Structures are given as C-alpha cells and as structure tokens.
Amino acid sequence: MRLGLLLTMTLVCHAAIMRHTHRQKGCVTSVRLRDKWRFCNQGRRPFIRIRRGALIFRNGRYRVRFKCVESFRSIYLFRKSNYKEGLDAVVCLGFSYVADSNYAEYTITRLMGPGIGSHVVSPQLFPHDQAVSVNTTCDFQSPKERRQYAFLERAAPGCKFPRQLQGSWNFTYLHARSLDFDGRRMVLALLDGQRLVFTCQTRDSNRYVLISKGYPTGQQDSFMCVHFIPVRDDPFYSFVFSRLNSGNFMDGLLRVVKKGQVIRLHQNCDWLDSPARPEFMYP
C-alpha cells in the first residue's frame, strides 16, 4: 500500500528538480482522474469529484468547488475565489497511481502546510489579490514522513434516473417508437418491435453511461453516453437527449465493445468536451 506514496514522493522530488522548466499552460486534469472518489477508511461522508478543470470537495454539509489554476504533470494547484471576504482558499495536491492494492487506485498527497481544517484537502487562505503558482505555493521541501496523504478509491456507481425522467417519452430518433425510464433502466422501443434494455452504469451529475449487455451479440455489449438537458419554454420538446460518444452501430447511436468491458464516463465518452449530437424527448 505504501508503493503509491513512494511513487508520489518520487514525482514530487522530480518536480522540485524541474520546477524552473517549462510547464504546460492552463490547467486540465488527467482524464483518468475525472470521477467521484472516496477516501479509503474514512467512511462515506468525505469525497471529491474531479472534473476537467475543477475539484469539488464535500464532507457532510461542507462543500467547496476549487478551480484548477495550474498543473505540472500530476501536481495540481486549486483555488476557490472569495472563500471568505477578501480571502481565497488554495490547496496543492499530488496524485499517484497505486498498482498493489485491491481497493485504492490513487494516492492523494498534500503538498503544502496545514490548512483551515485537518483533512488532506483542507485549503489554506490567501489574500484575494495574491498570486499563487506551483513553484511558489506548493511545498516540495518538507520531510516525507510529515506529508499528509490518503488513498483514493472510485465511488461505486450510484446511478439512478431522476424523477423528472421517469415514465414514457416520444423520441426523435428515426427508428424509435418510445423511450421509457424506470429506476436504473432505460428501454428503447424500436419500430421493428425490438426493445433494447439499457442499465444506468455510471452517472456524473446529469451525464450518464448506459449499457446494453449482450447486444447486438452474446459476445458483445453496447453503450451510449448521454447528457439529459431540460428544455425551457418550448411548446414541443421537454429534454435534449445529447449523445456524448461516437458510435459504430444503429446510425452511430451506440458503440459496440467486447462483452464485460468496463466503461468509464470520462475515459470512453469521447465527445464529453465537444459539441454533442442531439435528439429530443417529448410527451
């Protein structure tokens, strides 16, 4: 279990050596980090959700969304503006993949001194007009044994369709008869009589990975990534059914993969950060 921590320390030392070299401008998190994560052995209350350019930390009622302001390899500097009057919340974190654990997938290491709380993600407060950077704000010199770290595991899928989607809908897909939602299932009824059952596999806000197991053959599964967007003030349509994946089956609606292949929203939905191709749902 300590291998991941050692890897992080190696990365930190390397970053200290390279601290004056060119760093990629902008701050985009690694695709593999984008998910909901729980802290091993810390219960269900504290968790983080990593987005393309942000980190959301929640512990019970406490919730704060940090914007990623600078990164260097697997080290990220996050900032929340106006956390308090005249003060911003800042935290510097390093992530490292763990290869020898049945539960943890990454370690998260705090690369700065104590914050306003005791958690590894607890931020420090900086004046609102003070500049921060990986070089000047992240601490690469403190002894390894004093670094605060934790192990991360991906949160189990908590995937259920919201109440607003429950029921039967007309659907603008050319070959569709209807689209039905019930709990964790979506059923696409086609004009030729087929009923394709999709299970809600992963959810991130109102973006979903839906999988139909054993379709189109017993050795294959198919999936689609969908963003459901409510339509306001339209007399005909209620939701935009915005597809977030390229497809190779059913007019590109589905992507067929090997049976049992694990599908992750932020890794396999290749249109996630691009304009998506919409259909529409209506009563």
Side-chain angles (χ1 to χ4, degrees):
M1 290 287 287
R2 296 186 64 84
L3 177 60
L5 180 61
L6 295 175
L7 291 174
T8 299
M9 297 311 168
T10 301
L11 174 63
V12 170
C13 292
H14 182 70
I17 295 172
M18 300 293 292
R19 61 191 304 178
H20 296 295
T21 63
H22 173 73
R23 288 193 302 274
Q24 181 181 357
K25 292 184 178 181
C27 190
V28 177
T29 59
S30 168
V31 172
R32 294 184 179 276
L33 288 174
R34 298 176 200 168
D35 210 335
K36 181 179 179 181
W37 300 89
R38 297 200 181 277
F39 299 88
C40 294
N41 303 317
Q42 294 189 26
R44 296 183 59 83
R45 287 172 62 86
F47 66 84
I48 57 174
R49 193 186 295 274
I50 299 177
R51 299 288 177 80
R52 188 174 189 270
L55 178 145
I56 301 158
F57 173 52
R58 185 158 189 169
N59 190 356
R61 294 184 178 180
Y62 178 81
R63 180 187 183 276
V64 58
R65 180 187 178 97
F66 298 95
K67 179 181 178 181
C68 189
V69 295
E70 190 178 14
S71 65
F72 176 64
R73 301 202 177 183
S74 295
I75 297 172
Y76 298 91
L77 186 64
F78 297 97
R79 185 170 193 160
K80 165 63 176 176
S81 296
N82 298 315
Y83 182 82
K84 292 185 176 181
E85 185 175 357
L87 296 173
D88 293 354
V90 178
V91 64
C92 184
L93 302 169
F95 296 86
S96 182
Y97 177 71
V98 178
D100 60 346
S101 171
N102 294 328
Y103 303 100
E105 190 171 341
Y106 279 88
T107 58
I108 179 172
T109 304
R110 181 185 184 84
L111 300 177
M112 63 192 319
I116 58 176
S118 60
H119 199 273
V120 64
V121 186
S122 296
Q124 289 185 350
L125 299 183
F126 286 74
H128 181 66
D129 58 354
Q130 181 173 335
V132 296
S133 70
V134 169
N135 279 352
T136 61
T137 309
C138 301
D139 179 13
F140 303 112
Q141 305 300 324
S142 62
K144 295 178 183 179
E145 61 272 12
R146 294 185 183 178
R147 294 197 186 280
Q148 189 178 3
Y149 71 95
F151 291 96
L152 296 175
E153 60 179 340
R154 293 185 192 269
C159 197
K160 187 176 181 180
F161 295 114
R163 184 178 303 174
Q164 297 92 320
L165 288 177
Q166 302 287 329
S168 183
W169 300 87
N170 292 303
F171 190 37
T172 57
Y173 173 56
L174 180 63
H175 304 292
R177 183 182 300 276
S178 66
L179 198 60
D180 299 284
F181 294 88
D182 180 14
R184 297 185 63 234
R185 296 196 319 160
M186 183 187 81
V187 180
L188 174 60
L190 300 178
L191 293 175
D192 63 4
Q194 289 190 83
R195 290 176 58 85
L196 307 184
V197 178
F198 294 86
T199 301
C200 185
Q201 181 72 17
T202 304
R203 174 183 180 182
D204 186 345
S205 186
N206 56 353
R207 295 171 174 84
Y208 299 78
V209 173
L210 310 177
I211 295 181
S212 182
K213 296 186 178 180
Y215 182 81
T217 71
Q219 291 73 45
Q220 295 174 309
D221 296 336
S222 55
F223 76 91
M224 68 172 80
C225 308
V226 184
H227 185 190
F228 295 101
I229 306 170
V231 178
R232 308 297 182 190
D233 301 322
D234 189 289
F236 303 105
Y237 298 129
S238 299
F239 286 92
V240 176
F241 182 102
S242 184
R243 178 160 54 93
L244 306 176
N245 62 282
S246 57
N248 55 7
F249 192 68
M250 279 182 58
D251 306 308
L253 189 68
L254 306 180
R255 174 156 290 278
V256 178
V257 295
K258 293 181 180 179
K259 187 173 181 62
Q261 179 174 325
V262 176
I263 306 298
R264 300 196 186 281
L265 191 149
H266 290 286
Q267 296 180 31
N268 299 100
C269 302
D270 52 338
W271 289 357
L272 193 63
D273 298 315
S274 302
R277 180 176 299 174
E279 300 284 352
F280 294 90
M281 296 162 50
Y282 58 101

PDB file of all heavy atoms in Angstrom, residues 229-252:
ATOM      1  N   ILE A 229     -30.722  17.281 -20.952  1.00  0.00           N
ATOM      2  CA  ILE A 229     -30.775  18.718 -20.711  1.00  0.00           C
ATOM      3  C   ILE A 229     -32.228  19.178 -20.799  1.00  0.00           C
ATOM      4  O   ILE A 229     -32.860  19.064 -21.856  1.00  0.00           O
ATOM      5  CB  ILE A 229     -29.931  19.478 -21.746  1.00  0.00           C
ATOM      6  CG1 ILE A 229     -28.502  18.929 -21.785  1.00  0.00           C
ATOM      7  CG2 ILE A 229     -29.925  20.971 -21.442  1.00  0.00           C
ATOM      8  CD1 ILE A 229     -27.678  19.467 -22.938  1.00  0.00           C
ATOM      9  N   PRO A 230     -32.792  19.698 -19.712  1.00  0.00           N
ATOM     10  CA  PRO A 230     -34.172  20.191 -19.780  1.00  0.00           C
ATOM     11  C   PRO A 230     -34.302  21.335 -20.782  1.00  0.00           C
ATOM     12  O   PRO A 230     -33.422  22.180 -20.909  1.00  0.00           O
ATOM     13  CB  PRO A 230     -34.436  20.681 -18.348  1.00  0.00           C
ATOM     14  CG  PRO A 230     -33.426  19.995 -17.502  1.00  0.00           C
ATOM     15  CD  PRO A 230     -32.212  19.815 -18.367  1.00  0.00           C
ATOM     16  N   VAL A 231     -35.414  21.338 -21.513  1.00  0.00           N
ATOM     17  CA  VAL A 231     -35.700  22.403 -22.469  1.00  0.00           C
ATOM     18  C   VAL A 231     -36.712  23.356 -21.844  1.00  0.00           C
ATOM     19  O   VAL A 231     -37.787  22.933 -21.405  1.00  0.00           O
ATOM     20  CB  VAL A 231     -36.260  21.829 -23.785  1.00  0.00           C
ATOM     21  CG1 VAL A 231     -36.597  22.960 -24.755  1.00  0.00           C
ATOM     22  CG2 VAL A 231     -35.261  20.874 -24.418  1.00  0.00           C
ATOM     23  N   ARG A 232     -36.351  24.628 -21.802  1.00  0.00           N
ATOM     24  CA  ARG A 232     -37.221  25.621 -21.184  1.00  0.00           C
ATOM     25  C   ARG A 232     -38.046  26.360 -22.251  1.00  0.00           C
ATOM     26  O   ARG A 232     -37.557  26.663 -23.335  1.00  0.00           O
ATOM     27  CB  ARG A 232     -36.387  26.643 -20.405  1.00  0.00           C
ATOM     28  CG  ARG A 232     -35.396  26.021 -19.421  1.00  0.00           C
ATOM     29  CD  ARG A 232     -36.095  25.238 -18.335  1.00  0.00           C
ATOM     30  NE  ARG A 232     -35.139  24.681 -17.376  1.00  0.00           N
ATOM     31  CZ  ARG A 232     -35.447  23.805 -16.434  1.00  0.00           C
ATOM     32  NH1 ARG A 232     -36.712  23.377 -16.324  1.00  0.00           N
ATOM     33  NH2 ARG A 232     -34.524  23.364 -15.600  1.00  0.00           N
ATOM     34  N   ASP A 233     -39.290  26.612 -21.932  1.00  0.00           N
ATOM     35  CA  ASP A 233     -40.154  27.460 -22.760  1.00  0.00           C
ATOM     36  C   ASP A 233     -40.262  26.979 -24.200  1.00  0.00           C
ATOM     37  O   ASP A 233     -40.208  27.760 -25.149  1.00  0.00           O
ATOM     38  CB  ASP A 233     -39.640  28.910 -22.742  1.00  0.00           C
ATOM     39  CG  ASP A 233     -39.588  29.487 -21.340  1.00  0.00           C
ATOM     40  OD1 ASP A 233     -40.511  29.189 -20.560  1.00  0.00           O
ATOM     41  OD2 ASP A 233     -38.626  30.205 -21.030  1.00  0.00           O
ATOM     42  N   ASP A 234     -40.383  25.656 -24.379  1.00  0.00           N
ATOM     43  CA  ASP A 234     -40.588  25.107 -25.711  1.00  0.00           C
ATOM     44  C   ASP A 234     -41.914  24.362 -25.706  1.00  0.00           C
ATOM     45  O   ASP A 234     -42.158  23.514 -24.848  1.00  0.00           O
ATOM     46  CB  ASP A 234     -39.448  24.158 -26.096  1.00  0.00           C
ATOM     47  CG  ASP A 234     -39.520  23.734 -27.549  1.00  0.00           C
ATOM     48  OD1 ASP A 234     -40.424  22.946 -27.907  1.00  0.00           O
ATOM     49  OD2 ASP A 234     -38.669  24.194 -28.338  1.00  0.00           O
ATOM     50  N   PRO A 235     -42.795  24.643 -26.661  1.00  0.00           N
ATOM     51  CA  PRO A 235     -44.126  24.016 -26.642  1.00  0.00           C
ATOM     52  C   PRO A 235     -44.123  22.545 -27.039  1.00  0.00           C
ATOM     53  O   PRO A 235     -45.141  21.863 -26.856  1.00  0.00           O
ATOM     54  CB  PRO A 235     -44.916  24.848 -27.650  1.00  0.00           C
ATOM     55  CG  PRO A 235     -43.882  25.383 -28.591  1.00  0.00           C
ATOM     56  CD  PRO A 235     -42.654  25.620 -27.750  1.00  0.00           C
ATOM     57  N   PHE A 236     -43.016  22.046 -27.575  1.00  0.00           N
ATOM     58  CA  PHE A 236     -42.994  20.679 -28.099  1.00  0.00           C
ATOM     59  C   PHE A 236     -42.046  19.759 -27.324  1.00  0.00           C
ATOM     60  O   PHE A 236     -42.435  18.657 -26.936  1.00  0.00           O
ATOM     61  CB  PHE A 236     -42.598  20.694 -29.573  1.00  0.00           C
ATOM     62  CG  PHE A 236     -43.491  21.542 -30.433  1.00  0.00           C
ATOM     63  CD1 PHE A 236     -43.054  22.779 -30.895  1.00  0.00           C
ATOM     64  CD2 PHE A 236     -44.770  21.122 -30.760  1.00  0.00           C
ATOM     65  CE1 PHE A 236     -43.876  23.566 -31.682  1.00  0.00           C
ATOM     66  CE2 PHE A 236     -45.605  21.904 -31.548  1.00  0.00           C
ATOM     67  CZ  PHE A 236     -45.154  23.142 -32.011  1.00  0.00           C
ATOM     68  N   TYR A 237     -40.799  20.176 -27.117  1.00  0.00           N
ATOM     69  CA  TYR A 237     -39.785  19.290 -26.552  1.00  0.00           C
ATOM     70  C   TYR A 237     -39.573  19.551 -25.062  1.00  0.00           C
ATOM     71  O   TYR A 237     -39.627  20.686 -24.600  1.00  0.00           O
ATOM     72  CB  TYR A 237     -38.457  19.462 -27.287  1.00  0.00           C
ATOM     73  CG  TYR A 237     -38.538  19.094 -28.753  1.00  0.00           C
ATOM     74  CD1 TYR A 237     -38.071  19.967 -29.735  1.00  0.00           C
ATOM     75  CD2 TYR A 237     -39.086  17.879 -29.155  1.00  0.00           C
ATOM     76  CE1 TYR A 237     -38.133  19.626 -31.075  1.00  0.00           C
ATOM     77  CE2 TYR A 237     -39.167  17.529 -30.484  1.00  0.00           C
ATOM     78  CZ  TYR A 237     -38.690  18.411 -31.447  1.00  0.00           C
ATOM     79  OH  TYR A 237     -38.761  18.081 -32.781  1.00  0.00           O
ATOM     80  N   SER A 238     -39.291  18.460 -24.323  1.00  0.00           N
ATOM     81  CA  SER A 238     -39.074  18.557 -22.877  1.00  0.00           C
ATOM     82  C   SER A 238     -37.611  18.393 -22.495  1.00  0.00           C
ATOM     83  O   SER A 238     -37.143  19.034 -21.549  1.00  0.00           O
ATOM     84  CB  SER A 238     -39.907  17.491 -22.150  1.00  0.00           C
ATOM     85  OG  SER A 238     -41.282  17.670 -22.393  1.00  0.00           O
ATOM     86  N   PHE A 239     -36.869  17.498 -23.210  1.00  0.00           N
ATOM     87  CA  PHE A 239     -35.467  17.265 -22.901  1.00  0.00           C
ATOM     88  C   PHE A 239     -34.659  17.142 -24.191  1.00  0.00           C
ATOM     89  O   PHE A 239     -35.146  16.584 -25.185  1.00  0.00           O
ATOM     90  CB  PHE A 239     -35.267  15.971 -22.100  1.00  0.00           C
ATOM     91  CG  PHE A 239     -35.692  16.059 -20.663  1.00  0.00           C
ATOM     92  CD1 PHE A 239     -36.981  15.707 -20.292  1.00  0.00           C
ATOM     93  CD2 PHE A 239     -34.809  16.495 -19.680  1.00  0.00           C
ATOM     94  CE1 PHE A 239     -37.390  15.780 -18.975  1.00  0.00           C
ATOM     95  CE2 PHE A 239     -35.209  16.576 -18.363  1.00  0.00           C
ATOM     96  CZ  PHE A 239     -36.495  16.219 -18.013  1.00  0.00           C
ATOM     97  N   VAL A 240     -33.450  17.633 -24.142  1.00  0.00           N
ATOM     98  CA  VAL A 240     -32.463  17.324 -25.179  1.00  0.00           C
ATOM     99  C   VAL A 240     -31.757  16.043 -24.753  1.00  0.00           C
ATOM    100  O   VAL A 240     -31.257  15.929 -23.642  1.00  0.00           O
ATOM    101  CB  VAL A 240     -31.432  18.458 -25.342  1.00  0.00           C
ATOM    102  CG1 VAL A 240     -30.368  18.062 -26.367  1.00  0.00           C
ATOM    103  CG2 VAL A 240     -32.108  19.754 -25.743  1.00  0.00           C
ATOM    104  N   PHE A 241     -31.741  15.082 -25.641  1.00  0.00           N
ATOM    105  CA  PHE A 241     -31.034  13.818 -25.446  1.00  0.00           C
ATOM    106  C   PHE A 241     -29.709  13.983 -26.193  1.00  0.00           C
ATOM    107  O   PHE A 241     -29.614  13.730 -27.389  1.00  0.00           O
ATOM    108  CB  PHE A 241     -31.883  12.676 -26.011  1.00  0.00           C
ATOM    109  CG  PHE A 241     -31.314  11.296 -25.850  1.00  0.00           C
ATOM    110  CD1 PHE A 241     -31.788  10.447 -24.859  1.00  0.00           C
ATOM    111  CD2 PHE A 241     -30.327  10.817 -26.709  1.00  0.00           C
ATOM    112  CE1 PHE A 241     -31.296   9.163 -24.730  1.00  0.00           C
ATOM    113  CE2 PHE A 241     -29.835   9.535 -26.583  1.00  0.00           C
ATOM    114  CZ  PHE A 241     -30.314   8.710 -25.598  1.00  0.00           C
ATOM    115  N   SER A 242     -28.695  14.461 -25.481  1.00  0.00           N
ATOM    116  CA  SER A 242     -27.446  14.853 -26.122  1.00  0.00           C
ATOM    117  C   SER A 242     -26.419  13.732 -25.991  1.00  0.00           C
ATOM    118  O   SER A 242     -25.971  13.412 -24.889  1.00  0.00           O
ATOM    119  CB  SER A 242     -26.917  16.136 -25.472  1.00  0.00           C
ATOM    120  OG  SER A 242     -25.768  16.603 -26.120  1.00  0.00           O
ATOM    121  N   ARG A 243     -26.079  13.115 -27.125  1.00  0.00           N
ATOM    122  CA  ARG A 243     -25.160  11.980 -27.105  1.00  0.00           C
ATOM    123  C   ARG A 243     -23.711  12.462 -27.000  1.00  0.00           C
ATOM    124  O   ARG A 243     -23.291  13.387 -27.686  1.00  0.00           O
ATOM    125  CB  ARG A 243     -25.343  11.137 -28.367  1.00  0.00           C
ATOM    126  CG  ARG A 243     -24.398   9.958 -28.489  1.00  0.00           C
ATOM    127  CD  ARG A 243     -24.948   8.935 -29.471  1.00  0.00           C
ATOM    128  NE  ARG A 243     -25.260   9.515 -30.763  1.00  0.00           N
ATOM    129  CZ  ARG A 243     -24.407   9.544 -31.789  1.00  0.00           C
ATOM    130  NH1 ARG A 243     -23.196   9.057 -31.659  1.00  0.00           N
ATOM    131  NH2 ARG A 243     -24.777  10.062 -32.948  1.00  0.00           N
ATOM    132  N   LEU A 244     -22.935  11.803 -26.116  1.00  0.00           N
ATOM    133  CA  LEU A 244     -21.564  12.218 -25.820  1.00  0.00           C
ATOM    134  C   LEU A 244     -20.535  11.213 -26.302  1.00  0.00           C
ATOM    135  O   LEU A 244     -19.397  11.231 -25.853  1.00  0.00           O
ATOM    136  CB  LEU A 244     -21.400  12.431 -24.305  1.00  0.00           C
ATOM    137  CG  LEU A 244     -22.401  13.396 -23.664  1.00  0.00           C
ATOM    138  CD1 LEU A 244     -22.205  13.443 -22.156  1.00  0.00           C
ATOM    139  CD2 LEU A 244     -22.266  14.786 -24.264  1.00  0.00           C
ATOM    140  N   ASN A 245     -20.935  10.327 -27.223  1.00  0.00           N
ATOM    141  CA  ASN A 245     -19.991   9.333 -27.734  1.00  0.00           C
ATOM    142  C   ASN A 245     -20.135   9.183 -29.244  1.00  0.00           C
ATOM    143  O   ASN A 245     -21.224   9.330 -29.794  1.00  0.00           O
ATOM    144  CB  ASN A 245     -20.235   7.969 -27.077  1.00  0.00           C
ATOM    145  CG  ASN A 245     -21.619   7.420 -27.385  1.00  0.00           C
ATOM    146  OD1 ASN A 245     -22.599   7.838 -26.792  1.00  0.00           O
ATOM    147  ND2 ASN A 245     -21.701   6.478 -28.323  1.00  0.00           N
ATOM    148  N   SER A 246     -19.025   8.906 -29.897  1.00  0.00           N
ATOM    149  CA  SER A 246     -19.107   8.471 -31.285  1.00  0.00           C
ATOM    150  C   SER A 246     -19.625   7.035 -31.283  1.00  0.00           C
ATOM    151  O   SER A 246     -19.479   6.315 -30.295  1.00  0.00           O
ATOM    152  CB  SER A 246     -17.738   8.549 -31.960  1.00  0.00           C
ATOM    153  OG  SER A 246     -16.781   7.778 -31.246  1.00  0.00           O
ATOM    154  N   GLY A 247     -20.247   6.600 -32.369  1.00  0.00           N
ATOM    155  CA  GLY A 247     -20.847   5.273 -32.396  1.00  0.00           C
ATOM    156  C   GLY A 247     -20.473   4.494 -33.635  1.00  0.00           C
ATOM    157  O   GLY A 247     -20.041   5.055 -34.647  1.00  0.00           O
ATOM    158  N   ASN A 248     -20.641   3.179 -33.558  1.00  0.00           N
ATOM    159  CA  ASN A 248     -20.368   2.319 -34.702  1.00  0.00           C
ATOM    160  C   ASN A 248     -21.530   1.362 -34.982  1.00  0.00           C
ATOM    161  O   ASN A 248     -21.361   0.355 -35.659  1.00  0.00           O
ATOM    162  CB  ASN A 248     -19.073   1.519 -34.480  1.00  0.00           C
ATOM    163  CG  ASN A 248     -19.092   0.713 -33.186  1.00  0.00           C
ATOM    164  OD1 ASN A 248     -20.102   0.637 -32.497  1.00  0.00           O
ATOM    165  ND2 ASN A 248     -17.956   0.124 -32.846  1.00  0.00           N
ATOM    166  N   PHE A 249     -22.726   1.694 -34.439  1.00  0.00           N
ATOM    167  CA  PHE A 249     -23.880   0.817 -34.618  1.00  0.00           C
ATOM    168  C   PHE A 249     -25.152   1.656 -34.441  1.00  0.00           C
ATOM    169  O   PHE A 249     -25.163   2.657 -33.720  1.00  0.00           O
ATOM    170  CB  PHE A 249     -23.837  -0.317 -33.585  1.00  0.00           C
ATOM    171  CG  PHE A 249     -24.811  -1.430 -33.853  1.00  0.00           C
ATOM    172  CD1 PHE A 249     -24.659  -2.280 -34.946  1.00  0.00           C
ATOM    173  CD2 PHE A 249     -25.898  -1.633 -33.017  1.00  0.00           C
ATOM    174  CE1 PHE A 249     -25.562  -3.302 -35.191  1.00  0.00           C
ATOM    175  CE2 PHE A 249     -26.801  -2.660 -33.250  1.00  0.00           C
ATOM    176  CZ  PHE A 249     -26.622  -3.499 -34.354  1.00  0.00           C
ATOM    177  N   MET A 250     -26.224   1.257 -35.129  1.00  0.00           N
ATOM    178  CA  MET A 250     -27.514   1.942 -35.049  1.00  0.00           C
ATOM    179  C   MET A 250     -27.376   3.432 -35.352  1.00  0.00           C
ATOM    180  O   MET A 250     -27.659   4.295 -34.518  1.00  0.00           O
ATOM    181  CB  MET A 250     -28.165   1.740 -33.673  1.00  0.00           C
ATOM    182  CG  MET A 250     -28.885   0.413 -33.540  1.00  0.00           C
ATOM    183  SD  MET A 250     -29.703   0.208 -31.922  1.00  0.00           S
ATOM    184  CE  MET A 250     -30.794   1.620 -31.910  1.00  0.00           C
ATOM    185  N   ASP A 251     -26.917   3.711 -36.572  1.00  0.00           N
ATOM    186  CA  ASP A 251     -26.767   5.096 -37.030  1.00  0.00           C
ATOM    187  C   ASP A 251     -25.833   5.906 -36.138  1.00  0.00           C
ATOM    188  O   ASP A 251     -25.979   7.123 -36.004  1.00  0.00           O
ATOM    189  CB  ASP A 251     -28.135   5.803 -37.105  1.00  0.00           C
ATOM    190  CG  ASP A 251     -29.139   5.038 -37.952  1.00  0.00           C
ATOM    191  OD1 ASP A 251     -28.791   4.697 -39.098  1.00  0.00           O
ATOM    192  OD2 ASP A 251     -30.251   4.778 -37.466  1.00  0.00           O
ATOM    193  N   GLY A 252     -24.872   5.210 -35.518  1.00  0.00           N
ATOM    194  CA  GLY A 252     -23.922   5.905 -34.658  1.00  0.00           C
ATOM    195  C   GLY A 252     -24.409   6.153 -33.253  1.00  0.00           C
ATOM    196  O   GLY A 252     -23.697   6.745 -32.433  1.00  0.00           O
TER     197      GLY A 252
END
